[in-house]
Amino acid sequence: MSSKPNPLQEFRDTRKIMNEKIMNLDHLGIKRFFNLDTNTYKDGALPGKTKELLGLVASAVLRCNDCIDYHLEQCAESGFSKEEIVDALNVALVVGGSIVIPHMRHAIATLELLEEEGTLSAPLR
Amino acid sequence: MSSKPNPLQEFRDTRKIMNEKIMNLDHLGIKRFFNLDTNTYKDGALPGKTKELLGLVASAVLRCNDCIDYHLEQCAESGFSKEEIVDALNVALVVGGSIVIPHMRHAIATLELLEEEGTLSAPLR
Amino acid sequence: MSSKPNPLQEFRDTRKIMNEKIMNLDHLGIKRFFNLDTNTYKDGALPGKTKELLGLVASAVLRCNDCIDYHLEQCAESGFSKEEIVDALNVALVVGGSIVIPHMRHAIATLELLEEEGTLSAPLR
Amino acid sequence: MSSKPNPLQEFRDTRKIMNEKIMNLDHLGIKRFFNLDTNTYKDGALPGKTKELLGLVASAVLRCNDCIDYHLEQCAESGFSKEEIVDALNVALVVGGSIVIPHMRHAIATLELLEEEGTLSAPLR
Amino acid sequence: MSSKPNPLQEFRDTRKIMNEKIMNLDHLGIKRFFNLDTNTYKDGALPGKTKELLGLVASAVLRCNDCIDYHLEQCAESGFSKEEIVDALNVALVVGGSIVIPHMRHAIATLELLEEEGTLSAPLR
Amino acid sequence: MSSKPNPLQEFRDTRKIMNEKIMNLDHLGIKRFFNLDTNTYKDGALPGKTKELLGLVASAVLRCNDCIDYHLEQCAESGFSKEEIVDALNVALVVGGSIVIPHMRHAIATLELLEEEGTLSAPLR
């Protein structure tokens, strides 16, 4: 694992600080939404692992890099291999079109960081 | 199965006729895109079945009823139960927000038609 | 009020039936989302009335006719005049561009139906 | 030209009636936006004809059937052939992805109606 | 007020310089659009203040950070309290879904800067 | 041409490196999509030059800065003048609304860099 700061770690740190500030706003609706969001990816009729992959593809076609990074990490931690994640991103590319390509580039850079860290278990050949 | 025409069957018929007309335009780029689209949902690093579910959620957050209908049918034929499909639609609802609700209503109506036809194997309790 | 069926009444009827079917799916996450959605428009730091107008403009720029119809009715019942609602739709038009125009046409047709019914209190000159 | 009503003619009629109602709202901002919109497609640094094609592709990737119909008619009247219009729609398909396909089907149906009417000058082979 | 540069001030400076460059392009349509945009938020059937809040929610559901920053500042200057602005952002969150969360984080960071500057009159508890 | 690094050159460099990494993923679907994307802008029923302008407007209304930069460069290299490119961006602004303005600012900054480099042949005035 690299000891120098990386964009993924910066995202994680900022995300943590800002989410705490959002909780501290003490708005009941927002707190309930965040709670609902967390529960969405727990095991249900579908395993939580599958739903993380659904969250990743939804984030990719809606073209949100922060959401992509978050779900990439969750997918890697859930045990999806790089090949499986890339195959999911291909669905997003075909559904969403070439406008998704810059987010594909972003996702591949994040996957590399997850590989370097060891979060992504199965390195691509 | 009902013998009277239903919106899902109308969609299937129109889709078939219009896709043939699109092929008859004989535009190489369009033909290749349609071919690429079909291949996307074949078994790869991920099973085709999983990718149909990814296609459904992508269609739901991008709010396209025709795409939702198409992937609902594919998901039902791939063997997903109604509970699993509904759990996937919940991911789309939380990622995409209340703007997805009208498409959730559409999806539930289509799921009913798929159940009546027997395409959806596992009826909801 | 006209006794013949109108598109707004059809929307209301379908919406009611389908929302009940969605509740009957008995998916906890979906039920909680619907509950959260309802609570969003209750009085808080902002009056519920103002939040209905925010919901209308959000629906218009995201280009969802069903959502527009729902919020138009809520805005009319909250006491906004036709002129005020039209002024809000103009914000949506400028933010969202000419792609919003077909939804503006839809909204004006719905406003007429709300006027005929007497739901919209202040007719346009 | 067919004498029976067709979806394109219905769209034209509704569009005309509703646009007049929008003008009658007498909202200065809305009136100015509509005026600005009309002027956008007049000859400038680019010919108006080219800008109609730009409007068509913008409408297709934003997935608005009414806007697609409007610009298809303008493109046909400007003298673009069916092959040229289809080639423009292919750009929209690749940029916007498979989610554009249902709108491609809609566009091809409208192109047929424009051909039957004689508005589209150059029939495809 | 902090004397060190902050992202909000950088945005303001860049926005000012670039808007001037856009005006200097001397394109009549663009100039008229910018003028129309400015006039949209002036008092009309609705007070300009309310329309700034509508602009904020439209910007949030369309997920444009620069637009969010601009309207946050206008809302703060119009006299909305932090609690009111947060309540409006909650409407955007529920309508637009979890994909809006990264923009919520951005908005809260900007609100803090507006509070430090004294532009936001009513600090949150 | 300036010798110091500029955002456009950084974009080009990152784009090149990341596209190579995407190719090295060796996913057949992704490789075919990239190939299809490249072929889309070759001469067909419409000249490739016209299609680059269509790609630019599609990118602008879908609000993707990287895509805008890519197509701006292609448009400049195809021989479009700054006035023509600005006239195309105005179509995007009117179709897509004020939410496009931040991307208009980005586009104008990129056009300046293309002018400085000499890629854009016809300077404004």
Side-chain angles (χ1 to χ4, degrees), chain D residues 13-28:
Chain D
D13 295 344
T14 307
R15 182 178 176 277
K16 187 168 181 294
I17 292 168
M18 295 314 301
N19 278 4
E20 277 166 15
K21 288 190 182 184
I22 289 175
M23 284 304 104
N24 290 339
L25 293 170
D26 214 28
H27 185 289
L28 185 59

Side-chain angles (χ1 to χ4, degrees), chain D residues 14-110:
Chain D
T14 307
R15 182 178 176 277
K16 187 168 181 294
I17 292 168
M18 295 314 301
N19 278 4
E20 277 166 15
K21 288 190 182 184
I22 289 175
M23 284 304 104
N24 290 339
L25 293 170
D26 214 28
H27 185 289
L28 185 59
I30 294 175
K31 283 169 127 167
R32 289 183 63 203
F33 189 94
F34 272 67
N35 188 257
L36 186 60
D37 183 31
T38 304
N39 288 329
T40 299
Y41 301 95
K42 294 196 173 150
D43 287 344
L46 291 169
K49 182 183 172 180
T50 302
K51 291 194 277 190
E52 286 297 346
L53 206 65
L54 296 174
L56 173 63
V57 168
S59 300
V61 295
L62 290 174
R63 303 189 281 124
C64 171
N65 281 348
D66 283 2
C67 310
I68 288 171
D69 281 357
Y70 175 76
H71 286 292
L72 278 176
E73 182 164 22
Q74 299 299 313
C75 286
E77 289 186 352
S78 300
F80 282 113
S81 70
K82 190 169 177 179
E83 281 85 354
E84 289 169 321
I85 290 172
V86 167
D87 205 21
L89 290 172
N90 181 47
V91 174
L93 178 64
V94 171
V95 175
S98 69
I99 208 85
V100 173
I101 291 177
H103 304 276
M104 176 78 88
R105 288 195 282 263
H106 179 86
I108 300 308
T110 297

Side-chain angles (χ1 to χ4, degrees), chain B residues 53-84:
Chain B
L53 205 65
L54 296 174
L56 173 64
V57 168
S59 300
V61 296
L62 290 175
R63 303 188 281 123
C64 171
N65 282 347
D66 283 2
C67 311
I68 288 171
D69 281 357
Y70 176 75
H71 286 292
L72 278 177
E73 183 164 20
Q74 300 299 314
C75 285
E77 289 185 352
S78 301
F80 282 113
S81 70
K82 190 168 178 179
E83 281 87 353
E84 289 170 321

Side-chain angles (χ1 to χ4, degrees), chain C residues 70-124:
Chain C
Y70 176 76
H71 286 293
L72 277 176
E73 182 164 21
Q74 300 299 313
C75 286
E77 288 186 352
S78 301
F80 281 112
S81 70
K82 190 169 177 179
E83 280 86 353
E84 289 169 321
I85 290 172
V86 167
D87 206 20
L89 290 172
N90 181 46
V91 174
L93 178 63
V94 172
V95 175
S98 68
I99 207 85
V100 173
I101 290 177
H103 304 275
M104 176 78 87
R105 287 195 282 264
H106 179 85
I108 299 308
T110 298
L111 278 176
E112 271 194 0
L113 293 169
L114 289 167
E115 249 180 326
E116 282 170 23
E117 285 179 2
T119 311
L120 189 64
S121 53
L124 191 69

Side-chain angles (χ1 to χ4, degrees), chain C:
Chain C
M1 195 203 292
S2 168
S3 64
K4 61 175 178 176
N6 69 41
L8 179 59
Q9 193 53 46
E10 274 172 47
F11 161 67
R12 283 171 182 140
D13 295 345
T14 306
R15 182 179 176 277
K16 187 169 181 294
I17 292 168
M18 295 313 301
N19 278 3
E20 279 166 14
K21 289 191 179 180
I22 290 175
M23 284 305 104
N24 290 339
L25 293 171
D26 214 30
H27 185 289
L28 185 60
I30 295 176
K31 282 169 129 170
R32 288 182 65 202
F33 189 95
F34 272 66
N35 188 257
L36 185 61
D37 183 31
T38 304
N39 287 330
T40 300
Y41 301 95
K42 293 198 173 148
D43 287 344
L46 289 170
K49 182 182 171 179
T50 302
K51 290 193 278 191
E52 286 297 344
L53 207 64
L54 297 173
L56 174 63
V57 169
S59 301
V61 295
L62 290 174
R63 303 188 282 125
C64 171
N65 281 348
D66 283 2
C67 310
I68 288 171
D69 281 356
Y70 176 76
H71 286 293
L72 277 176
E73 182 164 21
Q74 300 299 313
C75 286
E77 288 186 352
S78 301
F80 281 112
S81 70
K82 190 169 177 179
E83 280 86 353
E84 289 169 321
I85 290 172
V86 167
D87 206 20
L89 290 172
N90 181 46
V91 174
L93 178 63
V94 172
V95 175
S98 68
I99 207 85
V100 173
I101 290 177
H103 304 275
M104 176 78 87
R105 287 195 282 264
H106 179 85
I108 299 308
T110 298
L111 278 176
E112 271 194 0
L113 293 169
L114 289 167
E115 249 180 326
E116 282 170 23
E117 285 179 2
T119 311
L120 189 64
S121 53
L124 191 69
R125 261 142 306 136

Side-chain angles (χ1 to χ4, degrees), chain A residues 63 82 86-87 90 93-94 97-99 101-102 104-105 108-109 112 124-125, chain F residues 11 15 18-19 21-22 25 27 29-30 33-34 37 59 62-64 66-67:
Chain A
R63 303 188 282 123
K82 190 168 177 181
V86 166
D87 204 22
N90 181 46
L93 178 63
V94 171
S98 69
I99 208 86
I101 290 176
M104 177 77 87
R105 287 195 283 263
I108 300 309
E112 271 195 0
L124 192 69
R125 261 142 306 133
Chain F
F11 161 67
R15 182 177 176 279
M18 294 314 302
N19 278 3
K21 289 191 179 182
I22 290 176
L25 292 171
H27 185 288
I30 295 175
F33 189 95
F34 272 66
D37 183 31
S59 301
L62 290 175
R63 304 189 280 124
C64 172
D66 282 2
C67 311

